[in-house]
Amino acid sequence: MTFHVLTLFPEMIREFCAHSIIGRAVKSEIVDIKPLNIRDFAVNKHGQVDDAPYGGGAGMVMMAQPIFDAYTSIAVQKNTPVIYLSPQGRILTQNRAKALSKEKEIILICGHYEGLDERVIEEIVTEEVSIGDYILTGGEPAACVLIDTVSRLIPGVLGKEESHQNESFSTNLLEYPHYTRPPVFRGREVPEVLLSGHHANIEKWRHEESLKRTKSKRPDIL
Ligand code: ADE
């Protein structure tokens, strides 16, 4: 899967994708990250990519032309999703991430300032995605979150021990609590059932804990 990322800060994307599980997926060529610097497509000699808003008001607006030219410089198949990271978008969910993980290519556009000239959104964007109801300084952290969430669902990206069979949201329940050595930490003991070796009882306990947790922490997803 290739992620083309249109951004003013390609290093933010490159750095994020160089580490941990995503870094490994890039090295093994399961995931390809192609940041594109929007400034490279500016036409005036100052490298200008933003301008004052028509109608007045505070802030700057990212000009349509450099973003459009960056987009047209990428040869992608028709129907490739073109996602604008924006707090106005639909909130990213595990289900949407699953669907996106089946794409061959995805184009991500990171905005800054007051956002993009509306006409480039109308022209090329197929969907707007938000990572939550709060405002970031730019789209890059959101693009990294999307790349991370989608990539780990691509077969081969997670190792066996990082499996996502039982994880939160795959069953609409939060995960049960986990413990490892030592058996007692600051007087807190590992639940006895986990030391019993009785697999059916352990399964049952874990399911009950998942239900309890979901009811108390995230009743909205039940
Ligand atoms: N850009 C600024 N805030 C954002 C958010 N919450 N989600 C996605 N992109 C953004």
Side-chain angles (χ1 to χ4, degrees):
M1 146 108 63
T2 302
F3 292 94
H4 303 273
V5 188
L6 277 55
T7 169
L8 289 172
F9 300 96
E11 278 314 308
M12 284 176 79
I13 307 295
R14 247 182 236 120
E15 187 59 35
F16 176 82
C17 295
H19 302 279
S20 185
I21 294 171
I22 306 304
R24 188 180 66 199
V26 170
K27 269 201 195 104
S28 58
E29 298 181 358
I30 303 172
V31 172
D32 192 9
I33 310 289
K34 296 210 153 114
L36 225 69
N37 193 338
I38 295 167
R39 205 173 292 283
D40 292 344
F41 296 85
V43 286
N44 81 14
K45 61 174 188 277
H46 308 293
Q48 188 183 356
V49 291
D50 60 341
D51 210 335
Y54 277 119
M60 299 289 265
V61 176
M62 286 178 71
M63 295 154 74
Q65 168 270 317
I67 295 167
F68 184 76
D69 289 353
Y71 165 78
T72 53
S73 79
I74 314 168
V76 285
Q77 287 183 341
K78 255 194 177 171
N79 302 325
T80 297
V82 181
I83 298 175
Y84 170 38
L85 285 314
S86 150
Q88 294 190 12
R90 282 210 358 228
I91 305 259
L92 181 63
T93 60
Q94 191 67 11
N95 274 340
R96 186 68 196 118
K98 246 179 238 162
L100 288 172
S101 73
K102 308 210 160 64
E103 297 287 346
K104 271 188 65 192
E105 293 187 281
I106 296 176
I107 299 176
L108 301 175
I109 305 177
C110 305
H112 269 265
Y113 320 113
E114 292 306 306
L116 314 188
D117 186 310
E118 191 64 23
R119 293 165 295 181
V120 77
I121 301 176
E122 291 167 2
E123 193 71 28
I124 64 176
V125 169
T126 60
E127 68 183 278
E128 293 186 46
V129 170
S130 166
I131 62 158
D133 288 337
Y134 40 79
I135 312 293
L136 302 165
T137 55
E140 286 76 10
C144 293
V145 166
L146 188 147
I147 290 169
D148 190 278
T149 310
V150 170
S151 296
R152 66 190 287 288
L153 296 171
I154 301 170
V157 168
L158 291 190
K160 251 204 207 100
E161 62 294 349
E162 297 149 355
S163 143
H164 40 74
Q165 291 304 309
N166 299 317
E167 72 195 5
S168 300
F169 299 113
S170 64
T171 55
N172 272 351
L173 289 180
L174 300 184
E175 265 198 272
Y176 49 79
H178 302 277
Y179 301 87
T180 185
R181 280 191 284 255
V184 184
F185 174 70
R186 294 178 68 84
R188 297 169 193 270
E189 291 178 10
V190 172
E192 216 176 294
V193 62
L194 299 179
L195 309 173
S196 69
H198 192 303
H199 293 299
N201 284 354
I202 292 172
E203 263 326 273
K204 185 166 169 279
W205 180 86
R206 285 180 166 166
H207 184 68
E208 286 166 0
E209 288 298 312
S210 278
L211 264 173
K212 248 196 256 170
R213 287 206 147 180
T214 314
K215 272 186 193 147
S216 84
K217 292 187 180 182
R218 290 294 306 274
D220 56 300
I221 66 167
L222 260 185

